[in-house]
Amino acid sequence: MHQFTIEPLFGSGGWELAGYNIAFTNSALWMAISAIALWVFMFGGMKRELVPGRWQMAVESFTGFVDDMLEANVGKAGRKYVPYIFSLFMFILFANLLGLMPLGVVGVHPFTFTSHFTVTGVLAIMSFSIVLIVGFWKHGLHFFSLFVPQGTPLPMIPIIFPIELISFLVRPFSLGLRLFVAMMAGHVLLEVLSSFVIDGMNAFSSGIGPVVGVLSFILMIGICALEILVAGIQAYVFALLSSLYINDAENLH
Amino acid sequence: MPQIAQILETWSSQVFWLLVVFGAVFFVIGRGMVPRVMDNIGMRDKQIADDLAAAQAARDAADEQEDAWRKRENENRAAAQALVHEAKAKAATSAEAKLATVQAAIDTQAAEAEARIAAASHAAAAEIEAVASEAAQDIVARLAGVKVTKSVAGAAVKKAMMANG
């Protein structure tokens, strides 16, 4: 669990803004590293050549991917959300992947800030606020008709409305918690398995210890691959659900 | 679980730095770089579409020109054939006319020659008559000792010759 501990860096533990602590922590450091890595990645694709090289092709395929996703889920109006969804998707993706880097080998301990619900919660609230703002801006109070699906019989409305309202209000929680839980569970699983490997090898003379250690190590290799997949999938799910919710606000039904 | 154990001391710094960093990502990368990358993609797609359209237009123009050329070629061929026809017909008529005049000349020549032959044969016949009548006068004078006048001898010769054909 130590890997999730937040520690102020560079003696910034006492930094305050309007009475709130804003220490530059290892979490903040890895946010900055993710942002810089993302910037470097994007900068490599900014050559704007007519015939793209490999790097430019990679960057363009990511922007094209987000563009297509919004086009498919929201339609033509989805184009204006590309900057937000792209930032969200790439920022989470880089955070997830950087958190999985085996940098502990060289003594640097990566910190996965997406395994903190304070972070994923803020990202979820941001998406949810955009949905609320766009929804009420575009449709006014008519936005409440989102909670009454088309073709609902009149006597059903008093029952359906609260159900739909609650499922709508739960969205930011499910959105934030899903990413937090997936990242945290993956890291805990890897930690547990690696402790099996180490303890098993330490109990070499017991006979069963090395067997457990080797089996756990083989399993761990598979789980590592799975975690890389999960890192991508969770970033995708976050971006996809955000765009689906934006579609509700944009097109209402 | 540090996420919960530390929440009271860390939530404000987490939220603050996330907003700062994500804000920077959104404005610098999302608003700054992504539209340019997408513009570039759009520009490339447009250029490809334009090139394709230009190629299609060039192809259409080529087809049109080929059609026009084919049409012109057919017209030229037809005109040439008509010209050949006319020349042939003209040659045929002029040959006919020439043949006709030549034929007429030959006919008259032949007629003249026939007339001449006829005249010559008449003259020859007359001479033969004259010679024959003189010979008859002579023969009669020698054999019978009768003097026959030239006209009587001539009549007799004429009679004999008529009888012999």
Side-chain angles (χ1 to χ4, degrees):
Chain A
M1 287 293 154
H2 181 257
Q3 60 170 322
F4 302 119
T5 310
I6 294 174
E7 289 156 349
L9 297 176
F10 322 121
S12 65
W15 288 7
E16 280 195 357
L17 184 76
Y20 293 103
N21 180 288
I22 54 158
F24 190 81
T25 59
N26 50 351
S27 174
L29 175 71
W30 282 91
M31 289 177 200
I33 290 173
S34 295
I36 289 165
L38 177 55
W39 183 82
V40 168
F41 173 70
M42 289 302 287
F43 188 77
M46 294 293 288
K47 291 192 209 82
R48 317 196 70 182
E49 278 166 19
L50 185 63
V51 179
R54 287 176 189 205
W55 199 318
Q56 193 184 344
M57 200 76 198
V59 173
E60 283 178 3
S61 65
F62 272 111
T63 59
F65 169 71
V66 173
D67 190 30
D68 287 348
M69 183 169 73
L70 281 165
E71 175 94 43
N73 291 323
V74 187
K76 279 276 164 248
R79 215 117 208 244
K80 58 178 172 287
Y81 301 104
V82 168
Y84 174 69
I85 298 291
F86 182 83
S87 306
L88 197 63
F89 173 66
M90 293 305 273
F91 189 56
I92 295 172
L93 182 67
F94 271 65
N96 292 353
L97 288 176
L98 283 173
L100 279 173
M101 290 289 134
L103 299 177
V105 176
V106 293
V108 186
H109 290 286
F111 182 89
T112 318
F113 62 85
T114 43
S115 64
H116 275 255
F117 58 78
T118 40
V119 170
T120 60
V122 170
L123 292 175
I125 288 166
M126 260 196 279
S127 287
F128 193 67
S129 320
I130 287 173
V131 170
L132 288 181
I133 291 166
V134 169
F136 282 113
W137 187 277
K138 269 197 86 156
H139 307 289
L141 290 179
H142 197 63
F143 183 54
F144 282 108
S145 74
L146 179 67
F147 308 129
V148 183
Q150 222 149 27
T152 312
L154 203 64
M156 292 294 281
I157 287 178
I159 308 166
I160 294 283
F161 188 88
I163 293 174
E164 288 282 327
L165 180 65
I166 289 167
S167 83
F168 180 76
L169 293 177
V170 161
R171 280 174 180 183
F173 296 97
S174 66
L175 194 59
L177 286 176
R178 183 180 296 110
L179 176 58
F180 148 67
V181 165
M183 294 324 292
M184 165 140 177
H187 283 261
V188 168
L189 186 59
L190 287 177
E191 191 173 331
V192 169
L193 282 172
S194 56
S195 78
F196 283 177
V197 175
I198 292 162
D199 291 347
M201 286 304 170
N202 282 343
F204 199 83
S205 52
S206 70
I208 193 73
V211 177
V212 171
V214 168
L215 286 178
S216 299
F217 189 72
I218 292 166
L219 187 59
M220 217 178 142
I221 293 170
I223 303 266
C224 279
L226 183 71
E227 283 310 311
I228 293 170
L229 186 69
V230 167
I233 286 174
Q234 287 303 324
Y236 173 62
V237 166
F238 203 102
L240 179 70
L241 286 176
S242 293
S243 61
L244 281 176
Y245 298 160
I246 286 170
N247 175 48
D248 279 348
E250 190 73 37
N251 300 323
L252 211 57
H253 269 308
Chain B
M1 209 160 117
Q3 286 96 326
I4 294 170
Q6 288 187 307
I7 190 161
L8 284 178
E9 344 69 274
T10 60
W11 72 268
S12 53
S13 84
Q14 288 278 74
V15 171
F16 174 78
W17 287 108
L18 178 68
L19 290 179
V20 167
V21 174
F22 187 76
V25 167
F26 177 68
F27 284 107
V28 174
I29 294 169
R31 306 285 305 253
M33 291 167 131
V34 171
R36 282 162 73 189
V37 171
M38 283 176 52
D39 272 1
N40 195 30
I41 296 173
M43 236 162 60
R44 182 183 309 129
D45 288 351
K46 191 174 166 295
Q47 185 150 7
I48 289 169
D50 284 356
D51 285 357
L52 283 178
Q56 186 61 44
R59 193 200 174 129
D60 287 350
D63 279 354
E64 211 168 279
Q65 273 184 354
E66 195 189 339
D67 279 351
W69 173 80
R70 188 153 287 159
K71 204 172 153 211
R72 215 167 49 233
E73 195 67 13
N74 284 346
E75 274 166 10
N76 284 350
R77 187 164 294 153
Q81 256 162 5
L83 218 62
V84 167
H85 257 292
E86 205 180 317
K88 252 186 202 163
K90 217 185 248 172
T93 48
S94 78
E96 246 168 57
K98 258 184 208 155
L99 267 177
T101 53
V102 168
Q103 190 67 46
I106 288 170
D107 282 354
T108 51
Q109 267 182 355
E112 269 170 24
E114 265 170 23
R116 263 206 315 278
I117 288 165
S121 73
H122 269 292
E127 213 145 302
I128 287 166
E129 261 180 43
V131 172
S133 56
E134 257 173 47
Q137 259 178 317
D138 230 17
I139 291 162
V140 169
R142 286 225 194 127
L143 286 180
V146 183
K147 269 223 185 207
V148 187
T149 57
K150 210 175 186 172
S151 60
V152 174
V157 165
K158 212 170 252 178
K159 211 173 172 183
M161 278 178 83
M162 287 284 238
N164 289 342

